[in-house]
Short mmCIF file of all heavy atoms in Angstrom, two decimals:
data_model
loop_
_atom_site.label_atom_id
_atom_site.label_comp_id
_atom_site.label_asym_id
_atom_site.label_seq_id
_atom_site.Cartn_x
_atom_site.Cartn_y
_atom_site.Cartn_z
N ASN A 261 -7.20 -8.28 -9.55
CA ASN A 261 -7.99 -8.39 -10.78
C ASN A 261 -7.70 -7.26 -11.77
O ASN A 261 -7.98 -7.41 -12.96
CB ASN A 261 -9.47 -8.45 -10.46
CG ASN A 261 -9.83 -9.73 -9.73
OD1 ASN A 261 -9.16 -10.75 -9.87
ND2 ASN A 261 -10.88 -9.69 -8.93
N SER A 262 -7.15 -6.15 -11.28
CA SER A 262 -6.84 -5.04 -12.19
C SER A 262 -5.45 -5.18 -12.80
O SER A 262 -5.03 -4.34 -13.59
CB SER A 262 -6.93 -3.71 -11.45
OG SER A 262 -5.85 -3.57 -10.53
N GLY A 263 -4.71 -6.22 -12.41
CA GLY A 263 -3.38 -6.45 -12.96
C GLY A 263 -2.28 -5.68 -12.25
O GLY A 263 -1.22 -5.45 -12.82
N MET A 264 -2.54 -5.27 -11.02
CA MET A 264 -1.51 -4.54 -10.26
C MET A 264 -0.23 -5.36 -10.22
O MET A 264 -0.27 -6.58 -10.09
CB MET A 264 -2.00 -4.26 -8.84
CG MET A 264 -1.03 -3.43 -8.02
SD MET A 264 -1.71 -2.90 -6.45
CE MET A 264 -2.60 -1.44 -6.98
N THR A 265 0.90 -4.70 -10.36
CA THR A 265 2.19 -5.37 -10.37
C THR A 265 2.95 -5.10 -9.07
O THR A 265 2.64 -4.17 -8.34
CB THR A 265 3.04 -4.92 -11.56
OG1 THR A 265 3.25 -3.50 -11.47
CG2 THR A 265 2.36 -5.26 -12.89
N TYR A 266 3.96 -5.93 -8.83
CA TYR A 266 4.78 -5.81 -7.63
C TYR A 266 5.93 -4.85 -7.89
O TYR A 266 6.65 -4.98 -8.88
CB TYR A 266 5.33 -7.19 -7.24
CG TYR A 266 6.06 -7.20 -5.94
CD1 TYR A 266 5.37 -7.31 -4.74
CD2 TYR A 266 7.44 -7.09 -5.89
CE1 TYR A 266 6.03 -7.32 -3.53
CE2 TYR A 266 8.12 -7.09 -4.69
CZ TYR A 266 7.40 -7.21 -3.51
OH TYR A 266 8.06 -7.20 -2.31
N ASP A 267 6.10 -3.87 -7.00
CA ASP A 267 7.18 -2.90 -7.14
C ASP A 267 7.62 -2.44 -5.76
O ASP A 267 6.84 -1.84 -5.03
CB ASP A 267 6.69 -1.71 -7.96
CG ASP A 267 7.78 -0.69 -8.25
OD1 ASP A 267 8.84 -0.70 -7.59
OD2 ASP A 267 7.56 0.14 -9.15
N MET A 268 8.85 -2.76 -5.39
CA MET A 268 9.38 -2.32 -4.09
C MET A 268 10.01 -0.93 -4.17
O MET A 268 10.45 -0.40 -3.16
CB MET A 268 10.44 -3.30 -3.59
CG MET A 268 9.86 -4.57 -3.03
SD MET A 268 11.11 -5.67 -2.36
CE MET A 268 11.73 -4.72 -0.98
N GLY A 269 10.01 -0.33 -5.34
CA GLY A 269 10.63 0.97 -5.52
C GLY A 269 9.64 2.11 -5.42
O GLY A 269 8.64 2.04 -4.70
N SER A 270 9.89 3.14 -6.19
CA SER A 270 9.07 4.35 -6.13
C SER A 270 7.65 4.13 -6.63
O SER A 270 6.76 4.92 -6.32
CB SER A 270 9.72 5.47 -6.94
OG SER A 270 9.85 5.08 -8.30
N GLY A 271 7.40 3.04 -7.35
CA GLY A 271 6.06 2.76 -7.85
C GLY A 271 5.15 2.08 -6.86
O GLY A 271 3.98 1.84 -7.15
N ARG A 272 5.65 1.79 -5.65
CA ARG A 272 4.86 1.01 -4.68
C ARG A 272 3.59 1.70 -4.22
O ARG A 272 2.71 1.07 -3.66
CB ARG A 272 5.74 0.64 -3.48
CG ARG A 272 6.09 1.78 -2.56
CD ARG A 272 7.13 1.41 -1.53
NE ARG A 272 6.65 0.63 -0.44
CZ ARG A 272 6.22 1.12 0.72
NH1 ARG A 272 6.22 2.41 0.94
NH2 ARG A 272 5.80 0.30 1.66
N GLY A 273 3.46 2.98 -4.47
CA GLY A 273 2.27 3.70 -4.05
C GLY A 273 1.41 4.17 -5.20
O GLY A 273 0.48 4.94 -5.01
N THR A 274 1.72 3.69 -6.41
CA THR A 274 0.94 4.13 -7.57
C THR A 274 -0.30 3.26 -7.74
O THR A 274 -0.46 2.22 -7.09
CB THR A 274 1.79 4.05 -8.85
OG1 THR A 274 2.08 2.68 -9.13
CG2 THR A 274 3.09 4.84 -8.71
N GLU A 275 -1.17 3.70 -8.62
CA GLU A 275 -2.40 2.96 -8.89
C GLU A 275 -2.13 1.59 -9.49
O GLU A 275 -2.89 0.66 -9.31
CB GLU A 275 -3.27 3.79 -9.84
CG GLU A 275 -4.64 3.22 -10.06
CD GLU A 275 -5.51 4.12 -10.91
OE1 GLU A 275 -5.54 5.34 -10.65
OE2 GLU A 275 -6.14 3.60 -11.84
N LYS A 276 -1.00 1.46 -10.18
CA LYS A 276 -0.69 0.23 -10.91
C LYS A 276 0.23 -0.72 -10.18
O LYS A 276 0.40 -1.86 -10.60
CB LYS A 276 -0.06 0.57 -12.26
CG LYS A 276 -0.92 1.42 -13.15
CD LYS A 276 -1.91 0.59 -13.87
CE LYS A 276 -2.69 1.46 -14.86
NZ LYS A 276 -3.85 0.81 -15.35
N SER A 277 0.87 -0.29 -9.08
CA SER A 277 1.88 -1.12 -8.42
C SER A 277 1.82 -1.00 -6.90
O SER A 277 1.36 0.00 -6.36
CB SER A 277 3.29 -0.72 -8.87
OG SER A 277 3.45 -0.89 -10.24
N ALA A 278 2.32 -2.05 -6.24
CA ALA A 278 2.44 -2.07 -4.78
C ALA A 278 3.45 -3.14 -4.41
O ALA A 278 3.75 -4.03 -5.19
CB ALA A 278 1.10 -2.38 -4.12
N ASP A 279 4.00 -3.04 -3.21
CA ASP A 279 4.75 -4.16 -2.66
C ASP A 279 3.89 -4.72 -1.53
O ASP A 279 2.76 -4.28 -1.31
CB ASP A 279 6.16 -3.74 -2.22
CG ASP A 279 6.19 -2.74 -1.08
OD1 ASP A 279 5.12 -2.37 -0.55
OD2 ASP A 279 7.28 -2.31 -0.70
N CYS A 280 4.40 -5.72 -0.83
CA CYS A 280 3.60 -6.40 0.19
C CYS A 280 3.03 -5.44 1.22
O CYS A 280 1.83 -5.38 1.47
CB CYS A 280 4.42 -7.48 0.90
SG CYS A 280 5.06 -8.74 -0.19
N SER A 281 3.91 -4.65 1.83
CA SER A 281 3.48 -3.79 2.93
C SER A 281 2.63 -2.62 2.43
O SER A 281 1.64 -2.26 3.08
CB SER A 281 4.67 -3.28 3.74
OG SER A 281 5.62 -2.68 2.91
N SER A 282 2.98 -2.03 1.28
CA SER A 282 2.16 -0.91 0.81
C SER A 282 0.76 -1.39 0.43
O SER A 282 -0.22 -0.66 0.61
CB SER A 282 2.83 -0.18 -0.35
OG SER A 282 2.93 -0.97 -1.51
N ALA A 283 0.65 -2.61 -0.08
CA ALA A 283 -0.67 -3.17 -0.38
C ALA A 283 -1.50 -3.32 0.89
O ALA A 283 -2.69 -3.01 0.92
CB ALA A 283 -0.53 -4.50 -1.10
N VAL A 284 -0.86 -3.79 1.96
CA VAL A 284 -1.59 -3.94 3.22
C VAL A 284 -2.02 -2.57 3.75
O VAL A 284 -3.18 -2.39 4.13
CB VAL A 284 -0.74 -4.69 4.28
CG1 VAL A 284 -1.40 -4.65 5.64
CG2 VAL A 284 -0.51 -6.12 3.83
N PHE A 285 -1.11 -1.60 3.77
CA PHE A 285 -1.47 -0.26 4.23
C PHE A 285 -2.60 0.32 3.40
O PHE A 285 -3.56 0.87 3.95
CB PHE A 285 -0.26 0.68 4.20
CG PHE A 285 0.56 0.64 5.44
CD1 PHE A 285 1.72 -0.09 5.48
CD2 PHE A 285 0.17 1.33 6.58
CE1 PHE A 285 2.50 -0.14 6.63
CE2 PHE A 285 0.94 1.29 7.73
CZ PHE A 285 2.10 0.55 7.76
N ARG A 286 -2.50 0.21 2.11
CA ARG A 286 -3.53 0.78 1.23
C ARG A 286 -4.87 0.08 1.41
O ARG A 286 -5.92 0.72 1.38
CB ARG A 286 -3.04 0.75 -0.21
CG ARG A 286 -1.89 1.75 -0.39
CD ARG A 286 -1.05 1.51 -1.59
NE ARG A 286 -1.80 1.69 -2.83
CZ ARG A 286 -1.29 1.39 -4.02
NH1 ARG A 286 -0.06 0.92 -4.13
NH2 ARG A 286 -2.01 1.57 -5.10
N SER A 287 -4.85 -1.22 1.63
CA SER A 287 -6.11 -1.93 1.86
C SER A 287 -6.71 -1.57 3.22
O SER A 287 -7.93 -1.48 3.36
CB SER A 287 -5.91 -3.44 1.73
OG SER A 287 -5.12 -3.95 2.78
N LEU A 288 -5.86 -1.33 4.22
CA LEU A 288 -6.36 -0.89 5.53
C LEU A 288 -6.98 0.50 5.45
O LEU A 288 -7.99 0.78 6.12
CB LEU A 288 -5.24 -0.91 6.57
CG LEU A 288 -4.75 -2.29 7.01
CD1 LEU A 288 -3.49 -2.16 7.86
CD2 LEU A 288 -5.84 -3.05 7.76
N ILE A 289 -6.42 1.36 4.62
CA ILE A 289 -7.01 2.69 4.40
C ILE A 289 -8.35 2.52 3.71
O ILE A 289 -9.36 3.09 4.13
CB ILE A 289 -6.06 3.58 3.58
CG1 ILE A 289 -4.83 3.94 4.42
CG2 ILE A 289 -6.78 4.82 3.07
CD1 ILE A 289 -3.69 4.58 3.63
N TYR A 290 -8.39 1.73 2.66
CA TYR A 290 -9.62 1.49 1.91
C TYR A 290 -10.71 0.92 2.82
O TYR A 290 -11.87 1.31 2.74
CB TYR A 290 -9.34 0.53 0.75
CG TYR A 290 -10.56 0.19 -0.07
CD1 TYR A 290 -10.95 1.01 -1.11
CD2 TYR A 290 -11.30 -0.95 0.21
CE1 TYR A 290 -12.08 0.70 -1.86
CE2 TYR A 290 -12.43 -1.27 -0.54
CZ TYR A 290 -12.81 -0.43 -1.58
OH TYR A 290 -13.93 -0.74 -2.32
N GLY A 291 -10.33 0.01 3.70
CA GLY A 291 -11.28 -0.61 4.60
C GLY A 291 -11.70 0.26 5.78
O GLY A 291 -12.55 -0.13 6.57
N GLY A 292 -11.10 1.44 5.90
CA GLY A 292 -11.49 2.35 6.97
C GLY A 292 -10.77 2.11 8.29
O GLY A 292 -11.12 2.72 9.31
N PHE A 293 -9.76 1.26 8.29
CA PHE A 293 -9.01 0.98 9.51
C PHE A 293 -7.95 2.03 9.80
O PHE A 293 -7.49 2.17 10.92
CB PHE A 293 -8.37 -0.41 9.45
CG PHE A 293 -9.39 -1.51 9.48
CD1 PHE A 293 -9.86 -2.04 8.29
CD2 PHE A 293 -9.88 -1.99 10.68
CE1 PHE A 293 -10.81 -3.06 8.31
CE2 PHE A 293 -10.82 -3.00 10.70
CZ PHE A 293 -11.29 -3.53 9.52
N LEU A 294 -7.52 2.73 8.74
CA LEU A 294 -6.56 3.83 8.87
C LEU A 294 -7.14 5.05 8.18
O LEU A 294 -7.95 4.93 7.25
CB LEU A 294 -5.21 3.46 8.22
CG LEU A 294 -4.43 2.31 8.82
CD1 LEU A 294 -3.21 1.99 7.95
CD2 LEU A 294 -3.98 2.64 10.24
N ASN A 295 -6.71 6.24 8.60
CA ASN A 295 -7.15 7.48 7.96
C ASN A 295 -6.70 7.53 6.52
O ASN A 295 -5.67 6.95 6.16
CB ASN A 295 -6.59 8.69 8.70
CG ASN A 295 -7.17 8.83 10.09
OD1 ASN A 295 -8.32 8.50 10.32
ND2 ASN A 295 -6.37 9.31 11.01
N SER A 296 -7.42 8.26 5.70
CA SER A 296 -7.10 8.33 4.28
C SER A 296 -5.74 8.95 4.01
O SER A 296 -5.15 8.73 2.96
CB SER A 296 -8.18 9.12 3.53
OG SER A 296 -8.27 10.44 4.03
N ASN A 297 -5.21 9.71 4.94
CA ASN A 297 -3.90 10.32 4.77
C ASN A 297 -2.81 9.60 5.57
O ASN A 297 -1.74 10.15 5.81
CB ASN A 297 -3.94 11.80 5.16
CG ASN A 297 -4.34 12.01 6.61
OD1 ASN A 297 -4.80 11.08 7.27
ND2 ASN A 297 -4.19 13.22 7.10
N ALA A 298 -3.08 8.37 5.96
CA ALA A 298 -2.12 7.60 6.77
C ALA A 298 -0.82 7.36 6.01
O ALA A 298 -0.81 7.21 4.78
CB ALA A 298 -2.73 6.26 7.18
N TYR A 299 0.26 7.31 6.76
CA TYR A 299 1.58 7.01 6.22
C TYR A 299 1.60 5.58 5.66
O TYR A 299 1.12 4.66 6.32
CB TYR A 299 2.62 7.17 7.33
CG TYR A 299 4.00 6.68 7.00
CD1 TYR A 299 4.80 7.38 6.10
CD2 TYR A 299 4.51 5.53 7.58
CE1 TYR A 299 6.08 6.95 5.79
CE2 TYR A 299 5.80 5.09 7.28
CZ TYR A 299 6.57 5.80 6.39
OH TYR A 299 7.83 5.37 6.08
N ILE A 300 2.13 5.41 4.46
CA ILE A 300 2.28 4.08 3.87
C ILE A 300 3.65 3.57 4.31
O ILE A 300 4.67 3.90 3.71
CB ILE A 300 2.18 4.12 2.32
CG1 ILE A 300 0.88 4.78 1.87
CG2 ILE A 300 2.33 2.72 1.75
CD1 ILE A 300 -0.38 4.05 2.28
N GLY A 301 3.65 2.78 5.35
CA GLY A 301 4.90 2.29 5.93
C GLY A 301 5.44 1.05 5.26
O GLY A 301 5.11 0.74 4.12
N ASN A 302 6.26 0.33 6.01
CA ASN A 302 6.89 -0.89 5.50
C ASN A 302 6.57 -2.05 6.43
O ASN A 302 5.75 -1.93 7.34
CB ASN A 302 8.40 -0.68 5.35
CG ASN A 302 9.05 -0.27 6.66
OD1 ASN A 302 8.60 -0.64 7.75
ND2 ASN A 302 10.10 0.52 6.57
N THR A 303 7.22 -3.18 6.21
CA THR A 303 6.93 -4.37 7.01
C THR A 303 7.22 -4.13 8.49
O THR A 303 6.46 -4.55 9.35
CB THR A 303 7.75 -5.57 6.50
OG1 THR A 303 7.44 -5.77 5.12
CG2 THR A 303 7.43 -6.83 7.26
N GLU A 304 8.30 -3.44 8.79
CA GLU A 304 8.63 -3.16 10.20
C GLU A 304 7.59 -2.25 10.84
O GLU A 304 7.27 -2.39 12.02
CB GLU A 304 10.03 -2.56 10.32
CG GLU A 304 11.13 -3.57 10.04
CD GLU A 304 11.09 -4.79 10.94
OE1 GLU A 304 10.82 -4.66 12.15
OE2 GLU A 304 11.31 -5.90 10.44
N THR A 305 7.04 -1.30 10.06
CA THR A 305 5.97 -0.45 10.57
C THR A 305 4.75 -1.29 10.91
O THR A 305 4.12 -1.11 11.96
CB THR A 305 5.59 0.62 9.53
OG1 THR A 305 6.76 1.25 9.03
CG2 THR A 305 4.67 1.67 10.13
#
């Protein structure tokens, strides 16, 4: 709803962009399933 865009590059961890796996990691952190300083991995992670 905020208009986040898809970015597989260096923007994948910014407030405005994510790729598939970074979005999942970031949502898991937000939901309390991972620590706030957890590594933002990739699909294989």
Side-chain angles (χ1 to χ4, degrees):
N261 293 334
S262 71
M264 184 171 276
T265 60
Y266 186 83
D267 184 343
M268 283 183 65
S270 60
R272 72 189 284 267
T274 67
E275 187 176 314
K276 301 278 185 194
S277 299
D279 64 3
C280 301
S281 53
S282 66
V284 171
F285 273 100
R286 291 161 64 187
S287 68
L288 289 171
I289 291 168
Y290 179 86
F293 292 94
L294 295 173
N295 293 326
S296 61
N297 60 348
Y299 171 72
I300 305 297
N302 57 31
T303 303
E304 289 302 320
T305 312

